[in-house]
Amino acid sequence: MSFALILKNPYIASGLAIVLIFVAFALFADVIAPYSPIDAAGPPLQPPNKLFVMGTDNLGRDMFSRIVYGSRIVLMIVAMSISLSGFIGSILGLVSGYIGGVLDKVLSFVMDSIYAFPSLILAIALSVALGPSPVNAAIAIAVVYVPTYFRMLRGHVISIKNEGYIEMAKALGLPTTRIILRHILPHVLKTLMIVFSMNSADAILTEAGLSFIGLTVQPPTPDWGFDLYKGRGFVLAGAWWLMAFPGLCITLLAFGFALISEGVSRIVGVRLR
Amino acid sequence: MSTVLIVKDLWVKYFTSSGVINAVSGVSFSLSRGEMLAVVGESGSGKSTLGYALLNMVPKPGRIVKGEILLDGVNILKLSEEELRKIRGSKISIVFQDPFTTLDPLRKIRDQFMEFLMEHGIDKNNALKIAREYIEAVGLTERVLDSYPHQLSGGQKQRVSIAMAISLNPSVVVADEPTTALDVVVQKQIMDLISDIKRRYSSSFILITHDLALALERADSVMVMYGGYVMEMANKNELAKNMAHPYTKALFESLPRIKQRTLPKYLTGYPPDLRNPPPGCIFHPRCPFASEKCRIMKPELVEISKGHFVACHFAR
Amino acid sequence: MGLLRYVAIRAALIIPSVLILYTLVFIVLRILPGNPVIAALGTKNIPEEQLNAIMSELGLNKPLYVQYFEYLINFAKGDMGKSMIVRGRPIASDIADKLPATLELTIWSILISLAIGLGLGYLGAQSRSKYINAFVRLLGSAVFIIFIPALGLSLQLVFSKYLRLLPSSGRISDIVNFKPITGIYTLDALIQLNINAFIDALQHLLLPAFTLGLVLSGPYMRLTLNNLEAILESKMVEAYRARGISEAKILKHAFKHVLIPVVTYTGLQFALLMGGAVLTETTFNWPGIGTYLVDKVMYRDYTAIQAVVVLFAIIVGVISLIVDIIYAVIDPRVRY
């Protein structure tokens, strides 16, 4: 799996390009953003013009700067939640699938119940309970996506478990942990990549949803969904730029991840949906 | 003896992205009322394509490029889509090889059968009567009408297909390897059924098969195809006695016999690449008698005795 | 196995599922440090007596496990607890008020979603052009990722503010003479043969239902495209053609086959629909359970939030069951 091959794939290339732009925004916000995201920089509710490329909000803040700095929060929350759910879900899935028995049955049922439940609503309930903050939002989103990884890893383990070479390893007396790590994990890595990217797209939309309800950040912190939430009233009065740019970024970033996911699944030859 | 089907110089090609495949090359034959013609060949011989062509249903990217198919005197290749739709199933029908995929799994047999009959102009009451009549004619009980396909066995499903195929008294029934997907016991039952129907209703059959033994056993006349060409064609008895073409002989010798002590002699080599067929006689690369002439000149189909045609330079 | 037994088992499994979600939310809500009433009321300056009075009224001073079971038992009886904010107001009656609105929005959204998804999927499958086919496929993936509030707000801007064609919020105009029966306004208007009300309600429904419907139509497009293509090239359809069945009839039968994955998908992704409904309602101020939930979130009314979660768990379970039943009806192979 050479890098050249990966990058030549049009889906991955375009998806990656989009994602990297926003990553660049996040990393180099101080350099890219022309103004401060939290201080007023000009007259309020200005449509996009030469000074303010994406217009200003009701407090006179530059929307473009808020978008750029907003990428930080969005990407941070998403990265945290994906890592958390990926890690916990995968481990639980591996163990549960490998050990089987009652533990597996019970855990699977719990995970299925959570998986079947509307993710946004559960995330909302958990966020409220934990208290609104970016970290808590990340935790809430993580809980919602644990079953995704659980199911995937468990499914993989179970199908591999039935193949001969695991039995061989067992017969040779290799310890359980080593069997899991050495023999099962590499095969799982492929599917994991696809799930990671698709999950990122979902997580961005969930994070935006939570923000739109005010459950992630507090003002004046810039966040795309939150800006949409705050700007709603003004949008309907005509300030379309307060909605267009945050909305576009959310959808664009999510789309970028979705493209990557599509590309990876084509290369790896696995169809998950 | 009236003739129900005349095929004149039929050519069918598949236009694929990797080249043009000559599936059927210049095939001609005729079929009389109540006659069963067996079309025998390996896979790739063009026999299945021929079957589809008779209903003008050659799947894309295939196309009939030349020839005439006269069904009851009408050239079906000149008919409109709507006219074709009307004759399919009513004037000429086909029984497919795989009974498992050719019935709609979501609908009861009765619904499918009756819809078929009604689409061809039969009113509802008569449709039910006819459906019942033919389900019984193929040896099934009325209970089958109330069943879904997955509740029937392969043999039963094939019988249903046959019932539908003959229920409108078509002039010709094409049976494309009707028993290949079934086990041997059921094979005999189905073939007995077909022979019985042929006798009772005077239906004409075209039996497409790779099994020369089956052909010699059941058919009235046999046409052997290879690489899209007709190699030999004759009345069954005549063929059994005076097999002339090397290919036919090879096929015959490869049939296992109960009392024989040695292994049957198999034909070596591979079927021809129909995108790039060999020059001259299409069979010459595998023919034990091939000569210089065979490599250069295509043999014509010659009548070596009454009704017995062979395409070979050495046939006498 | 028989249809009845299958349904019974599936129905029974809903209960443990609901319990799991309830437990999860209960734990998280209650582990919270600090007094929930104080958090809800937003102030620490409540005299102790009054605080205790409120808490005993709400049953919050009992030990946790008692609260856990008591709530469940009451819920089964139809009592979803009392709101922590609006003193004494039973949550159940609030929910009963708002549920029909969400139901109406959901049903119309699914209809629109199916219409767009199946329609475009069909066009893509039947089209000779490779481009239209690829376009529909791409469109399917793209619409699914649109952020609902962004789409909703855009539509509101265009159709309400600029074109003034459709209202931007609410369910029905005040000036229309209308009396609700079931709470599903379009249905009620039809029952009462009140055409004005019907049209008015429809106008209010159009933007929100289209927003949600469009976003959710994506997967249907892809499903229909793939399945329809596969079926029309299958041996089964070939056999139909060989028997002289008309293309129109063949299409009808093919669609029945396409319905299977469509129905299955609907069942699996009903949860997504609910989440989308919450966002849609919030965007359009549609007075349903979604807005209710968001309001309660704003005010930290934990009991209400808990009630909504349990309610949704039950709804999802029941819908899933209904979908399975429909599936068994369409596909006879499942039953036996």
Side-chain angles (χ1 to χ4, degrees):
Chain A
M1 276 227 284
S2 64
F3 269 125
L5 183 67
I6 296 179
L7 288 178
K8 264 209 210 110
N9 182 305
Y11 293 95
I12 298 191
S14 42
L16 210 54
I18 296 176
V19 170
L20 286 176
I21 292 180
F22 288 105
V23 170
F25 275 5
L27 290 176
F28 306 116
D30 299 313
V31 176
I32 300 179
Y35 304 95
S36 152
I38 56 181
D39 298 321
L45 296 177
Q46 291 290 303
N49 52 45
K50 267 195 296 229
L51 274 182
F52 306 104
V53 195
M54 293 187 179
T56 61
D57 69 5
N58 61 311
L59 293 179
R61 299 181 291 205
D62 174 38
M63 283 306 290
F64 180 60
S65 304
R66 282 189 73 81
I67 295 278
V68 170
Y69 275 94
S71 340
R72 272 195 187 165
I73 296 283
V74 171
L75 284 171
M76 186 195 87
I77 296 181
V78 166
M80 261 177 54
S81 56
I82 301 281
S83 322
L84 212 58
S85 58
F87 186 67
I88 297 179
S90 300
I91 304 256
L92 285 179
L94 269 173
V95 169
S96 183
Y98 190 70
I99 295 186
V102 178
L103 169 74
D104 182 44
K105 281 209 170 52
V106 169
L107 209 52
S108 295
F109 192 78
V110 170
M111 291 294 174
D112 281 346
S113 301
I114 299 180
Y115 187 75
F117 193 81
S119 44
L120 184 64
I121 297 176
L122 187 58
I124 290 176
L126 294 175
S127 282
V128 171
L130 295 169
S133 87
V135 174
N136 288 342
I139 295 178
I141 298 176
V143 170
V144 163
Y145 287 123
V146 160
T148 310
Y149 293 94
F150 175 85
R151 294 171 123 213
M152 197 206 83
L153 264 291
R154 178 179 172 273
H156 246 90
V157 169
I158 290 185
S159 65
I160 292 180
K161 205 165 65 152
N162 297 333
E163 291 180 26
Y165 56 91
I166 299 297
E167 309 227 299
M168 260 271 278
K170 271 208 268 201
L172 291 174
L174 292 179
T176 313
T177 39
R178 206 206 281 180
I179 293 180
I180 294 178
L181 283 178
R182 257 317 168 76
H183 297 275
I184 300 180
L185 212 50
H187 294 267
V188 150
L189 237 43
K190 284 191 222 167
T191 327
L192 209 61
M193 287 194 295
I194 304 175
V195 176
F196 261 135
S197 36
M198 202 60 229
N199 202 201
S200 301
D202 278 335
I204 288 171
L205 293 171
T206 309
E207 189 275 342
L210 283 179
S211 296
F212 190 66
I213 300 181
L215 285 173
T216 46
V217 299
Q218 304 284 357
T221 319
D223 174 283
W224 303 339
F226 195 69
D227 280 353
L228 254 169
Y229 160 59
K230 283 287 175 206
R232 234 177 100 210
F234 304 103
V235 170
L236 289 173
W240 59 269
W241 57 95
L242 294 181
M243 169 268 301
F245 299 109
L248 197 65
C249 289
I250 295 171
T251 305
L252 206 59
L253 184 53
F255 196 57
F257 279 113
L259 281 174
I260 295 179
S261 160
E262 178 73 24
V264 174
S265 75
R266 279 178 193 228
I267 288 187
V268 161
V270 177
R271 279 242 136 245
L272 275 190
R273 301 259 223 138
Chain B
M1 226 355 163
S2 55
T3 310
V4 289
L5 181 69
I6 301 178
V7 175
K8 286 192 199 157
D9 197 32
L10 187 68
W11 290 77
V12 183
K13 298 189 199 242
Y14 286 94
F15 297 88
T16 72
S17 47
S18 53
V20 179
I21 299 179
N22 303 299
V24 176
S25 305
V27 171
S28 305
F29 63 90
S30 64
L31 188 68
S32 310
R33 191 170 163 70
E35 178 189 348
M36 181 184 304
L37 167 72
V39 178
V40 181
E42 306 169 55
S43 12
S45 57
K47 59 188 199 299
S48 280
T49 307
L50 179 62
Y52 281 103
L54 293 177
L55 278 97
N56 204 347
M57 268 184 72
V58 177
K60 290 203 264 280
R63 224 171 4 106
I64 298 177
V65 295
K66 193 169 169 221
E68 283 182 352
I69 298 180
L70 298 168
L71 179 67
D72 287 331
V74 177
N75 185 357
I76 64 169
L77 299 181
K78 292 257 191 293
L79 294 178
S80 68
E81 260 315 302
E82 184 56 24
E83 288 166 327
L84 269 175
R85 190 187 69 72
K86 290 212 184 87
I87 64 160
R88 284 185 191 133
S90 63
K91 292 261 178 299
I92 178 168
S93 61
I94 184 167
V95 177
F96 289 101
Q97 178 177 332
D98 183 1
F100 293 92
T101 54
T102 47
L103 290 171
D104 191 332
L106 302 183
R107 304 170 68 206
K108 287 195 182 155
I109 302 291
R110 170 192 294 116
D111 296 330
Q112 300 186 49
F113 207 142
M114 285 181 64
E115 175 189 60
F116 162 62
L117 294 170
M118 295 194 294
E119 279 279 293
H120 287 281
I122 314 273
D123 68 272
K124 202 157 173 207
N125 289 323
N126 280 324
L128 188 55
K129 274 202 214 118
I130 294 176
R132 281 204 186 110
E133 179 188 331
Y134 280 91
I135 285 293
E136 272 162 37
V138 295
L140 295 171
T141 66
E142 226 186 278
R143 209 173 43 88
V144 164
L145 285 172
D146 281 317
S147 313
Y148 287 95
H150 68 275
Q151 294 171 293
L152 306 175
S153 71
Q156 287 174 314
K157 282 197 267 255
Q158 200 64 310
R159 286 176 195 262
V160 169
S161 295
I162 292 173
M164 281 204 263
I166 59 172
S167 55
L168 290 173
N169 285 320
S171 307
V172 179
V173 180
V174 178
D176 186 358
E177 310 243 28
T179 57
T180 307
L182 306 167
D183 65 68
V184 260
V185 177
V186 181
Q187 264 186 36
K188 181 178 185 310
Q189 292 172 346
I190 298 290
M191 287 315 300
D192 283 341
L193 174 63
I194 291 181
S195 300
D196 185 48
I197 288 171
K198 174 170 162 292
R199 198 176 34 86
R200 261 203 281 165
Y201 301 98
S202 290
S203 320
S204 312
F205 275 87
I206 296 198
L207 178 68
I208 299 178
T209 178
H210 60 273
D211 188 346
L212 183 60
L214 183 68
L216 290 174
E217 189 193 330
R218 301 278 182 175
D220 297 312
S221 36
V222 179
M223 183 169 89
V224 178
M225 284 183 72
Y226 181 81
Y229 290 87
V230 177
M231 299 282 104
E232 185 164 7
M233 185 160 58
N235 162 279
K236 172 228 328 260
N237 295 320
E238 168 66 19
L239 189 70
K241 267 195 297 180
N242 303 322
M243 236 168 255
H245 198 287
Y247 179 59
T248 317
K249 289 196 207 151
L251 270 183
F252 191 71
E253 264 149 42
S254 69
L255 295 173
R257 264 158 267 268
I258 291 187
K259 296 235 174 90
Q260 97 190 80
R261 284 181 192 254
T262 53
L263 287 172
K265 266 201 283 201
Y266 292 109
L267 191 58
T268 54
Y270 301 98
D273 178 1
L274 295 173
R275 284 169 298 182
N276 259 326
C281 173
I282 192 150
F283 182 60
H284 87 252
R286 296 167 85 180
C287 183
F289 304 107
S291 73
E292 212 33 55
K293 190 176 187 197
C294 304
R295 272 182 264 273
I296 308 176
M297 233 177 74
K298 265 206 188 355
E300 295 283 319
L301 203 57
V302 170
E303 189 165 9
I304 59 169
S305 66
K306 180 122 180 26
H308 186 165
F309 297 80
V310 184
C312 178
H313 294 304
F314 294 103
R316 268 312 142 235
Chain C
M1 174 180 277
L3 196 55
L4 218 54
R5 193 168 105 103
Y6 177 69
V7 171
I9 294 181
R10 286 279 291 103
L13 282 176
I14 296 182
I15 299 180
S17 267
V18 174
L19 280 177
I20 289 173
L21 265 335
Y22 169 62
T23 310
L24 180 60
V25 176
F26 185 89
I27 292 177
V28 180
L29 284 176
R30 293 292 198 260
I31 298 180
L32 204 75
N35 191 302
V37 175
I38 292 180
L41 294 180
T43 164
K44 291 197 175 64
N45 299 328
I46 309 178
E48 180 128 357
E49 280 170 15
Q50 205 178 4
L51 189 61
N52 285 335
I54 300 178
M55 285 186 67
S56 72
E57 200 180 300
L58 292 171
L60 290 174
N61 51 356
K62 302 188 194 154
L64 273 182
Y65 64 89
V66 172
Q67 288 189 46
Y68 180 82
F69 287 109
E70 246 188 28
Y71 188 80
L72 269 183
I73 298 173
N74 286 337
F75 198 98
K77 285 197 256 166
D79 173 13
M80 295 186 196
K82 299 208 179 33
S83 165
M84 289 166 75
I85 306 306
V86 185
R87 290 286 298 277
R89 180 158 176 83
I91 297 175
S93 61
D94 274 340
I95 289 190
D97 270 343
K98 321 254 176 190
L99 196 55
T102 304
L103 218 64
E104 185 173 30
L105 176 64
T106 305
I107 293 176
W108 280 98
S109 300
I110 293 182
L111 288 177
I112 292 183
S113 171
L114 284 173
I116 298 179
L118 290 176
L120 284 179
Y122 166 72
L123 282 175
Q126 291 287 66
S127 149
R128 315 267 150 136
S129 153
K130 261 195 302 184
Y131 295 112
I132 297 193
N133 191 304
F135 174 70
V136 172
R137 217 176 279 273
L138 190 63
L139 192 67
S141 315
V143 292
F144 200 49
I145 308 227
I146 295 179
F147 187 49
I148 289 177
L151 178 63
L153 283 171
S154 313
L155 288 178
Q156 278 176 312
L157 254 188
V158 171
F159 287 95
S160 295
K161 178 147 185 12
Y162 292 133
L163 294 180
R164 289 180 202 275
L165 274 178
L166 293 165
S168 67
S169 61
R171 297 183 69 192
I172 201 156
S173 311
D174 292 324
I175 49 173
V176 171
N177 197 348
F178 176 74
K179 230 196 316 231
I181 310 176
T182 61
I184 298 181
Y185 291 4
T186 41
L187 189 62
D188 292 340
L190 279 179
I191 295 178
Q192 296 174 21
L193 297 175
N194 187 339
I195 299 299
N196 279 333
F198 181 72
I199 295 183
D200 189 79
L202 214 56
Q203 283 179 323
H204 281 89
L205 255 177
L206 198 57
L207 285 183
F210 183 77
T211 304
L212 188 54
L214 179 65
V215 171
L216 293 178
S217 69
Y220 288 129
M221 277 187 230
R222 196 177 20 93
L223 268 176
T224 308
L225 245 185
N226 290 335
N227 282 288
L228 201 54
E229 274 178 339
I231 291 168
L232 289 178
E233 281 164 23
S234 69
K235 288 243 170 270
M236 182 193 82
V237 167
E238 194 177 62
Y240 266 130
R241 289 208 179 104
R243 295 188 179 121
I245 311 285
S246 63
E247 285 300 309
K249 281 242 159 67
I250 292 181
L251 203 62
K252 189 177 85 163
H253 299 315
F255 251 99
K256 206 170 164 199
H257 283 257
V258 169
L259 270 184
I260 297 180
V262 165
V263 167
T264 311
Y265 177 77
T266 306
L268 290 175
Q269 297 297 43
F270 200 75
L272 250 170
L273 177 64
M274 306 264 80
V278 170
L279 284 178
T280 312
E281 288 186 15
T282 313
T283 312
F284 287 92
N285 280 328
W286 186 265
I289 307 266
T291 338
Y292 181 73
L293 177 66
V294 173
D295 283 340
K296 295 304 161 192
V297 159
M298 214 86 70
Y299 295 108
R300 313 280 185 262
D301 192 339
Y302 297 125
T303 326
I305 295 174
Q306 189 176 285
V308 170
V309 169
V310 177
L311 179 71
F312 270 116
I314 296 178
I315 291 180
V316 172
V318 168
I319 294 293
S320 184
L321 179 65
I322 293 178
V323 165
D324 277 354
I325 294 178
I326 296 179
Y327 185 25
V329 166
I330 295 181
D331 188 344
R333 293 174 286 189
V334 168
R335 302 179 220 160
Y336 298 94

